[in-house]
Amino acid sequence: MAQVNCPRCAAPIELDSGNKFAKCSYCGSMIFFDRTGAGFYYAIPFKLSQNDAVGTFRRWAGGSTKAKDLDRLASITSVKKKYFPVYLFRRDVNGREEVYVKPAGSTILPGLHQLKVPGGDLKIFDGNFDTNGAELVKPDIEMTHYLDNLPGKGKEQALVYFPIWTIDYTFNGASYQVVVDASSSEVFATSFPTRSSAAYLLVAVAGFFAFLVLGFVATVYLVPALILMALTVVAVFFISLTVARRL
Ligand SMILES: [Zn+2]
């Protein structure tokens, strides 16, 4: 049995070895422990409602790199409100303060190492903190896992519950997921349906070779070659149109 003091009210807290997370029975603060000591939990409030998150997703899906009409045709299968745990490290690196954010949950969510923790928005996460129905994802990566590889000297470390919306959707029979940062509105995705340019390229290359061949034919049979060229132009036009409609 180890004993540490609550970093907020200094009350003694007993904990079993192996138990990394505890609640102060005096002030209700959520506290975590490791060999570096005790630290606070913080949480960042949700700035985006569920509707905002879906709207942000639709705008993202309408971007030029996404499959045509993804914004309209993506069929949303679930929207979940979650608090995802990250470690926040403030380090002194050669006299400058650097902040590092690392995932504390092993669920691999795309882009979560790029999260930016907004300065003034950290609220102490204690018994009074209202999660507003967000699911708390359990931290299962230890802070020490990162500490050895961070530059500089530690100034502060904390566990921060980061507000996210996860949106699952299907498109053309395949399933995808995006994460919407509910504090900065950024969208993270490892994979998404992309606009295919390969089909256009194929049509263009085929058209080019058809003209090349017809050019040689024209040196011998001019009129039939010109007729075939005209037909090729019409064919390339309609094939391109079909490709544009379908992709
Ligand atoms: Zn306390």
Side-chain angles (χ1 to χ4, degrees), residues 6-11 13 24-29 31:
C6 170
R8 189 187 205 179
C9 72
I13 302 166
C24 172
S25 50
Y26 296 86
C27 72
S29 292
I31 295 146

